[in-house]
Structure formats: structure tokens, C-alpha cells
Amino acid sequence: MTKNKSKDNELVFLPLGGSNEIGMNLNAYGFGPAANRQWIVVDVGVTFGDNSTPGVDVIVPDPTYLEGEDILGIVLTHAHEDHIGALGWLWPRIKAPLYATPFTAFLIREKLRDAGLLDRVTLHEVPLGGTIDLGPFHVEMVTITHSIAEPNGLAIKTPLGTVLHTGDWKIDNDPVVGERTDVDTIKRLGDEGVLAMVCDSTNVFQEGVAGSEGDVKVALAELISGLKGRVAVGCFASNVARMDSVIRAAEAAGRRVVLAGRSMHRITAAAKSVGMLSDLQPFLSEEQARHWPADEILYLCTGSQGESRAALSRVAEGTHPFIKLGPGDHCIFSSRVIPGNELAIGRLQDTLSERGVRIYTEKEYRGIHVSGHPCRDELRQMYQWARPKVAVPTHGMRRHLAEHALLAKDMQVPETVTPRNGDMVRLAPGPAAIIDEVPSGRLFVDGGMLVEEAGEALRERRHAASNGVLIVSFAMDKRGKIVSDIDVRGLGLPGDEDSPLGDILDSMAERVEQVVRGLKGDALEDELVVEQAVARALKKASQSVWDRRPIVETIILRL
């Protein structure tokens, strides 16, 4: 793509995370001529590894393009991991002051403390509905509703127009905790003129509305009140409204609440720091609850997505030191299934069922969970309020963004653009258009280090996971003669009754001896040549035995 050479002031939008997938948000807005543009960054989030990234739990966006740029500030819309989770990893590369409302700021401090950055980073707390002035950018925090406390949209005002960056949102007239969506401000912005709206696309295929936390509160209270025995509830710790509903339902049913999982304690501390989760009974410790009557206990647990080290998984496996569930007990999953977690959640629920625990999910018991993202009716309502000239769908897979663009056109939005990560979008002056493509991608947190997505270590790990490993060792004298037994060991490679693995490896050792004996002259003195010859021969032999080409590691001891 031709590089943008403009010398005039431009307003540009640059997604580096979140426009190709749900999660890992990192967005930047730039103003000024291309040569000395000033930037603000909105959100710095993570996504999580899966079976395709063995050994990698956390993935962050690649900020290479922004390094060395004039970044005036980093504004955080809310405290979900896909919006703040990468700060500890990426702040040293895009150093700038942080701006967040109090609840989000509390959790950011914890993250910075864990990363050893707390004393290096300037973090400004912004009140709900507050404003931030950063060079040509005047940012107004717009109160919205979502599945976490203090979510904010951003009205980013510049000399060339206003961008409404919605963040993650829905319309909830009974959010249980926090304020309702500030409809008056959004309507005022629409009356003043919104140049572009960068908007959440997660639920664009769902008709209707996401539903209210107030309705979930009623459903949970009704369900919990009728249960006997111990009750565990799995939900996202970040959803303070859901925690509030579960706790109050438990208290109404005569139960004391136990927090199980580090995140539950961390989010509770953040919520109490801003006045939430007030006038509740003190929580019992996990150890205290062991001596409490079963009908008077409710465990509020992390791990609703089947995370292996979370509280619910340890309970299911019987490895939790204090919490035991069995016949006559109950586990309520007040959460959605995040795509990719289906197998892990299914295994967790099956394991609990094996213990005699009765399972309750949103599929069988409607109303115990609602989404935090807008469905189509809510999207239509937002477009009616804001009336942008340009729609920029974000936070979704490609099919979500394309469908969102069609919906925006149906709502009479004059222009739409659906950028991929790394596409620089000119919002003004002139028609919205992708004018440049910059370096982008993903970085993996692997062994506590940030590594390239296509790094050698992960490539080898994937290869080993699917093809196995052969380790060959033997000793040679200076003339190239093998003077020891040849030891071949296999990792991740099968054998059976007819072809035991030991017999196969013995034949591999014979093949190694044949290959080395076939080398002549200088080749025997060059260990690299010997290693390559052995690797080629064993890969070929493995292809015929296992239909695989394992990694071959050859260790030669020279005597």
C-alpha cells in the first residue's frame, strides 16, 4: 500500500488489536500532519492462548509502529483484561500517562505493581463523566453500561470532528451496580455532530436486546432460595453487579458467602474502594466454611470457563484444600461460554456431575446470565442517538464487522469502513478511507518473555506436539568411528503390541549406524554434517513407520 505523505492536518484511527478478533484491544487516534502526528491510545488489552499456542497463556498486540511516536496519553475505557491486561507488558514500549476512572484505576495499580512498574507510571484518576485535555484531543468520558463496573465510552473531540468510541457496552436500565447509560450526553453529542462512531460488534448477529442485570438478580434469587445443600456459583469476577446479585440472593436465603479464587478477592477490594458491595455481611473464609452447615453456605467461585488452576476446577478435581462438593450440592454457572472454551467447560461440568453435584447453566435455566454486549436493537438505538457520518465497526471477527457495516447502512449512516489490525483509517478531512498499512500482529508471552508470533521456540513446540521428538546420542573418535552404543529415545511417539516402541527405536539406532558408516572423509569430522545426515535418515524412517516427521536432536560426544 502507498504510504500516506500528507502534510495537512488529518484525523486518523489505527486499530492494532481488536479488529480481527474479539479481544486484545489496542486502538490509537492520531491528529496532525503525517510527519509529526500526535496520538492518544485507547485500551491496551490481552487475549489468551489456546491449543494452537502450547505453553502460551497470554497474547498481546504488537505496538511496534507506536514506539517512538508522540503519544500524549493512554485512556482506558474499563477494567476487563482485553482492555487493560497488556499494560504491564507493553507500557515500557509505549510510555505515556494513563487515564482511567477510579474502579479501573484501582485494578490498573494492581497490574502495574505486579509488573514492577507502579513507581514509573503516571496514572490519573478521572471522575465518571470527567474530561481529559491532551493536545488537540479533548476527551469526555461517557457513562455506559456493561458487565463490569464503571465502563466508559469516549467522546474524542478534535478540530476536525468528534469520534464516539463506544468501548464495550449495552443498554441496561437496571444495571444493579453503577449508573445507567448517559443517554442525554450521547444525544447531545449527536445534536452537536458525530463525525465517526467506533462501535462494539460482538453481538451484531443477535436480534433483540442483551438483557438486564436486574432480571438476572431476580432469577438468581429465585433459584438459590429453593436449593438445599451447599451451593457454588461460578461467574466472571469482574462482573460486580453479578457478584452483588449472588451475594444478596445468598443472604436472603439465609446463606453466608465465601469468596473462592484470587480474582474474587481482588475485584471485591476494587469495588469496595469506590463504595460498591456495601451493607453486606462479612464474608466467611474458606476454612471457616468447613464448619458451617451445608444449607447455610454459598461459594462464589472463579473458573466458570474451565480454567485449570481456578477454584471450580480444583473443587471438581477434589484438590481444593477446603471446599468439597458432592451429592446433594449444586453448582450454578452464571456466565456465558466463551468460544474456544467449550471442551474445558464441558469437562468441568462432567467432573462435577461425577461427584453428584447438580449443574445449572443458562441453557436450561434462562435468565441466570445476560451478555454485556449490544444486540441489534441496541445497536440501532445507539445509531439513532449518535447519528454518526461514518461507522467504524470494531471488536469482533471479520464476519461481525461486515454484518455491523450492513446494519449501519440500514440505519442510513453515509459511510462505513471495516479496517483490519494495522489499517490506518483517515476519518477527516474528506471521505473516510484506509490510507496506510502499518506493522501489526501479535506477541506471545512465552516463559515470561515477549516473543514474536512466528518465533522459533513456539514453531518447534507445535512441531513436537504433533510429530514427536527423537533424541539420538553416541560417541565418535577423532577418525569418525562410532565407539559407543547408539541410544535413540522417543518422546510422544507410539508403539503397540506388534511393534513395541523399544523395537522401533532399536531399528532407528541401526539406521543411524548405517548412515554414519556411509559418510566419508571430511564429512565425518564435521559434526553438523553428521547431525544433518542422521536427521534426514530418521525423518524418512519415521515417515514410513508413523507417517510423521519428528524433531530429531542428535548429541555427539567426541573422544
Side-chain angles (χ1 to χ4, degrees), residues 78-81 103 107 146-150 235-243 263-264 266-268 271 276 302:
H78 65 284
H80 274 145
E81 285 294 299
F103 176 84
L107 294 172
H146 182 43
S147 55
I148 196 170
E150 294 185 3
C235 68
F236 296 114
S238 59
N239 193 337
V240 178
R242 193 69 53 83
M243 290 177 64
S263 294
M264 287 293 175
R266 182 169 54 88
I267 296 294
T268 298
M276 300 175 187
T302 61

Side-chain angles (χ1 to χ4, degrees), residues 21-24 45-53 55-61 80-86 89 111 236 266 305 307 309 338-341 442-445:
E21 58 190 307
I22 297 173
M24 199 180 71
V46 301
T47 190
F48 298 99
D50 55 26
N51 291 335
S52 68
T53 58
V56 174
D57 293 327
V58 175
I59 301 170
V60 304
H80 274 145
E81 285 294 299
D82 57 337
H83 292 259
I84 69 168
W89 295 104
K111 207 160 281 295
F236 296 114
R266 182 169 54 88
Q305 298 303 299
E307 301 96 320
R309 294 185 295 275
I338 294 177
N341 293 344
R442 309 193 303 173
L443 300 175
F444 293 159
V445 179

Side-chain angles (χ1 to χ4, degrees), residues 307-324:
E307 301 96 320
S308 60
R309 294 185 295 275
L312 272 181
S313 288
R314 289 187 291 150
V315 171
E317 293 163 1
T319 59
H320 196 286
F322 302 116
I323 303 175
K324 308 297 179 185

Side-chain angles (χ1 to χ4, degrees), residues 84-294:
I84 69 168
L87 281 171
W89 295 104
L90 297 187
W91 185 88
R93 299 178 63 168
I94 52 172
K95 299 180 178 72
L98 307 182
Y99 297 84
T101 52
F103 176 84
T104 303
F106 183 100
L107 294 172
I108 288 173
R109 287 191 190 94
E110 295 294 309
K111 207 160 281 295
L112 296 176
R113 183 178 291 110
D114 290 344
L117 295 172
L118 188 60
D119 295 335
R120 295 175 54 190
V121 180
T122 301
L123 172 57
H124 299 279
E125 278 196 20
V126 184
L128 293 174
T131 59
I132 310 163
D133 285 303
L134 298 169
F137 302 97
H138 176 78
V139 182
E140 181 178 356
M141 310 291 269
V142 180
T143 298
I144 54 174
T145 50
H146 182 43
S147 55
I148 196 170
E150 294 185 3
N152 299 277
L154 306 177
I156 303 170
K157 299 182 179 181
T158 76
L160 292 179
T162 297
V163 178
L164 177 57
H165 184 105
T166 67
D168 292 356
W169 65 281
K170 67 176 184 177
I171 299 171
D172 190 342
N173 291 322
D174 186 9
V176 176
V177 168
E179 304 294 326
R180 297 181 182 181
T181 299
D182 189 350
V183 177
D184 290 341
T185 293
I186 299 172
K187 287 182 176 179
R188 170 177 58 79
L189 292 168
D191 292 341
E192 294 171 354
V194 172
L195 169 66
M197 184 163 72
V198 177
C199 187
D200 182 356
S201 307
T202 309
N203 279 346
V204 69
F205 289 103
Q206 304 298 317
E207 287 291 349
V209 299
S212 172
E213 284 294 331
D215 295 334
V216 176
K217 180 178 182 178
V218 173
L220 285 171
E222 181 179 341
L223 176 58
I224 291 170
S225 68
L227 300 180
K228 299 296 182 182
R230 296 175 183 84
V231 175
V233 178
C235 68
F236 296 114
S238 59
N239 193 337
V240 178
R242 193 69 53 83
M243 290 177 64
D244 185 279
S245 295
V246 171
I247 294 166
R248 295 185 191 279
E251 292 186 354
R255 294 178 181 269
R256 296 290 296 276
V257 173
V258 179
L259 301 181
R262 182 185 175 194
S263 294
M264 287 293 175
H265 292 276
R266 182 169 54 88
I267 296 294
T268 298
K272 289 187 174 182
S273 75
V274 295
M276 300 175 187
L277 298 181
S278 58
D279 67 328
L280 299 172
Q281 294 185 62
F283 299 120
L284 293 179
S285 71
E286 294 171 351
E287 189 169 9
Q288 287 174 321
R290 296 172 68 183
H291 310 292
W292 222 261

Side-chain angles (χ1 to χ4, degrees), residues 372-408:
H373 298 271
C375 297
R376 292 177 74 89
D377 283 355
E378 291 155 289
L379 288 166
R380 293 184 182 104
Q381 182 66 79
M382 181 64 80
Y383 278 105
Q384 289 172 354
W385 290 335
R387 306 188 300 282
K389 295 179 182 178
V390 183
V392 187
T394 188
H395 200 38
M397 308 297 284
R398 290 306 302 173
R399 62 191 184 91
H400 294 85
L401 274 58
E403 182 66 20
H404 189 156
L406 293 174
L407 177 65

